[in-house]
Amino acid sequence: MSAHCQLTGRKPGFGRTISHSHRRTPRRFDPNIQRKRYWLPSEGRHVRLRLSVKGVKTVDLIGIEAAVARIRARGEKV
């Protein structure tokens, strides 16, 4: 599963780990991606979304219908 939020578009960030001796090695900061299943009343079915935790809070705030509309506006299939 890719570390990518379908609603907010969050992707991994990249940086470096710096050790005590100040050696630098590449690392990746993944967003906290969760798989959530929501009931979509307008279509009479469940949808399974890959969302960051901020995306889950956004769905709780604006509702699943508006969230799915935003995802489809970004060009992703739901």
Side-chain angles (χ1 to χ4, degrees), residues 3-68:
H4 164 253
C5 178
Q6 290 180 296
L7 181 60
T8 62
R10 287 182 182 245
K11 294 180 181 176
F14 296 90
R16 294 182 182 268
T17 299
I18 302 179
S19 69
H20 180 70
S21 65
H22 216 66
R23 294 185 73 149
R24 298 173 185 195
T25 55
R27 65 161 294 181
R28 180 173 146 151
F29 298 90
D30 284 331
N32 187 2
I33 299 294
Q34 307 292 322
R35 265 182 95 119
K36 290 280 289 179
R37 193 178 124 180
Y38 291 98
W39 173 252
L40 195 57
S42 64
E43 297 182 15
R45 68 184 182 104
H46 285 96
V47 292
R48 191 177 300 268
L49 301 175
R50 291 186 316 271
L51 300 172
S52 63
V53 175
K54 182 167 180 155
V56 172
K57 292 177 185 178
T58 303
V59 170
D60 292 343
L61 186 68
I62 66 172
I64 187 62
E65 297 288 342
V68 167

